Amino acid sequence: MDNQNPVFVTQPSLAPLEEFVELLKGVWERGILTHNGPLVQRLEKELEQKLGIEHLAVNTNGTIALQMAIRALEIKGEIITTPFTWVATVSAIKWEGCTPVFCDIDPETLNIDPAKIEALITPNTVAIMPVHVFGTPCDVDAIDAIAKKHNLKVIYDGAHAIGSSVNGKSLLAYGDITATSLHATKLFNTAEGGACIAANKELLDKLNRIRFFGHNDAKDVIEDGFNGKMTEVHAALGLANMKYFDEVLADRKAKYNIYLEALKANPKFTFQKVKHGETNYSYFPVIFETEEELLAVEKKLNAQKLFPRRYFYPSVNTYTKIVEGQACPVSEDISKRILCLPHYWKLTSDEQNLIIKILLD
Ligand code: T4K
């Protein structure tokens, strides 16, 4: 049977509207819409409790969270990062006056390849900014060891990583700072939003000042800050959605396993490997043998109103406006052959089965 309604790569996970409205009533009564209001503070506490972490500050979005992290660590120079990411990782580095240096990826985990980092370190290197791609944990122990040896900071781009873990600990707890995204397309969302998770209280205080124009309590300005505040309306959505966090995560895992079981025996496809810790199963990427095969399958899916996405294509090191002359053959190759299948809470089993059928056709 033909598919009737368009199915996109994802759809926001949303609590019932009444539960969001209930929280909004309090916002209306108080008249406090922003500036570290009670719901923002509650969301921070609930996220910390849910993830078993400390020192979390929410903000406007994941891109600003990365910029806040760079500012808080007061670094200027070269930052070693991955080309297999969303452009925001690299634009954040550039907005903060630093230079991105691309390190190629491990072809199995699709994350930065720790074995290739040291060769890129120069006297100007100040930090490593790996990405936990699609929620799959990086080799945090290896990265930590390199950073310690060369006295570098580590900022994890954990935009996809809420709900992932390593050594039984939330993945967001690693590095000097982890920045995450709470965007509509993420496992847990506040429509737009993000958060920084700092290694200590001193850094957290600094991040809180940076997101509030650099002010301290005495209204002096003691940081190079900007406006990175989350509103009460966004926090209300986060609090409403929080109730469904575990259900959404479990559903992603179940659907991820359905895809994997159905497709794994087919030699045409390979899959991202989880070698360290546990993923949050938030994306389902399939790696094809060739770009031509990917395009042919994409066309068949589109004909049935099924719209997967080519995350991440092209490899960020090849964008015109980024930085010239840094080849990353593994990332460039995989970028051309990888497709993320529709994967979200309300995806029906009929829709998922149709996607599988078309892939196996
Ligand atoms: N670092 C990494 C590694 C990232 O992946 C990202 C963002 C960031 C940093 C920065 O975090 P933020 O500053 O964004 O918080 C999306 C997201 O906009 C972006 O957040 C995300 N990564 C990136 C991987 O994907 P698009 O251009 O694919 O979004 P869009 O609007 O095409 O959405 C995809 C599908 O989702 C649509 O086809 C339909 C559905 N959708 C989307 C939205 C926004 C909905 O159903 N409702 C919605 O409201 O970028």
Side-chain angles (χ1 to χ4, degrees):
M1 205 182 70
D2 283 353
N3 179 49
Q4 299 304 319
N5 300 316
V7 171
F8 297 105
V9 65
T10 193
Q11 211 181 74
S13 313
L14 289 171
L17 181 60
E18 314 79 74
E19 295 178 17
F20 177 44
V21 170
E22 205 45 48
L23 284 153
L24 289 181
K25 282 183 191 159
V27 177
W28 258 242
E29 279 160 19
R30 286 185 293 275
I32 301 291
L33 299 185
T34 185
H35 288 195
N36 205 21
L39 296 189
V40 162
Q41 293 182 37
R42 199 174 125 197
L43 178 64
E44 288 176 338
K45 281 212 180 64
E46 289 197 15
L47 275 169
E48 287 182 345
Q49 277 162 8
K50 167 65 63 195
L51 302 168
I53 57 178
E54 292 180 284
H55 311 132
L56 177 145
V58 294
N59 67 3
T60 44
N61 61 59
T63 311
I64 288 294
L66 287 167
Q67 290 187 226
M68 280 172 50
I70 297 170
R71 272 178 196 222
L73 294 168
E74 295 182 16
I75 45 180
K76 279 276 176 287
E78 294 171 5
I79 299 184
I80 297 176
T81 189
T82 170
F84 190 69
T85 185
W86 189 246
V87 67
T89 313
V90 179
S91 51
I93 293 174
K94 292 183 71 181
W95 268 98
E96 291 308 314
C98 294
T99 307
V101 172
F102 291 109
C103 176
D104 213 345
I105 57 168
D106 176 322
E108 295 187 327
T109 65
L110 312 183
N111 287 328
I112 197 165
D113 186 345
K116 294 183 178 150
I117 293 177
E118 281 195 282
L120 297 167
I121 295 174
T122 73
N124 298 326
T125 308
V126 288
I128 312 171
M129 193 192 278
V131 179
H132 302 298
V133 174
F134 305 137
T136 292
C138 290
D139 186 349
V140 289
D141 294 334
I143 291 166
D144 191 44
I146 296 166
K148 282 209 171 75
K149 183 173 158 195
H150 295 275
N151 197 22
L152 303 175
K153 300 292 182 193
V154 180
I155 299 169
Y156 281 108
D157 180 340
H160 308 172
I162 199 162
S164 301
S165 59
V166 165
N167 304 324
K169 193 164 98 173
S170 166
L171 192 51
L172 304 190
Y174 287 85
D176 292 284
I177 300 177
T178 289
T180 193
S181 167
L182 306 177
H183 182 258
T185 55
K186 301 299 183 291
L187 188 88
F188 171 76
N189 85 87
T190 58
E192 288 278 359
C196 285
I197 298 87
N200 56 56
K201 171 82 165 62
E202 197 187 328
L203 266 179
L204 175 70
D205 290 345
K206 206 162 174 154
L207 288 161
N208 282 331
R209 293 192 292 268
I210 288 169
R211 76 176 176 184
F212 194 57
F213 310 105
H215 282 304
N216 65 0
D217 291 342
K219 295 291 174 208
D220 191 4
V221 169
I222 60 167
E223 314 285 351
D224 282 324
F226 47 41
N227 181 352
K229 291 170 272 119
M230 178 179 274
T231 75
E232 289 289 280
V233 176
H234 291 85
L237 180 58
L239 287 165
N241 288 340
M242 182 74 76
K243 207 171 134 192
Y244 299 90
F245 188 101
D246 294 338
E247 190 178 330
V248 171
L249 186 61
D251 176 78
R252 281 289 223 287
K253 182 173 181 175
K255 288 189 171 116
Y256 179 104
N257 285 329
I258 289 171
Y259 271 137
L260 192 62
E261 282 306 308
L263 301 174
K264 72 179 185 198
N266 193 312
K268 285 195 294 190
F269 312 123
T270 49
F271 306 94
Q272 182 182 30
K273 282 211 173 72
V274 182
K275 290 188 187 165
H276 313 278
E278 191 171 10
T279 176
N280 59 5
Y281 310 91
S282 57
Y283 291 77
F284 195 84
V286 177
I287 305 168
F288 291 75
E289 284 181 315
T290 65
E291 186 175 21
E292 290 67 35
E293 283 175 35
L294 177 152
L295 293 172
V297 170
E298 191 184 32
K299 201 168 158 193
K300 283 196 231 166
L301 290 166
N302 289 173
Q304 285 285 345
K305 300 198 193 118
L306 303 164
F307 300 103
R309 276 296 278 270
R310 296 185 72 181
Y311 295 136
F312 296 109
Y313 171 80
S315 184
V316 172
N317 61 308
T318 65
Y319 278 125
T320 308
K321 189 68 189 168
I322 292 299
V323 61
E324 284 174 13
Q326 293 185 27
C328 292
V330 181
S331 175
E332 288 166 41
D333 170 47
I334 287 178
S335 285
K336 291 189 185 116
R337 299 189 284 117
I338 190 162
L339 190 66
C340 284
L341 301 183
H343 187 41
Y344 53 89
W345 197 20
K346 302 290 172 174
L347 183 75
T348 67
S349 52
D350 282 353
E351 289 161 347
Q352 189 174 20
N353 288 336
L354 179 61
I355 294 163
I356 291 169
K357 186 168 167 286
I358 292 172
L359 260 90
L360 293 175
D361 206 11

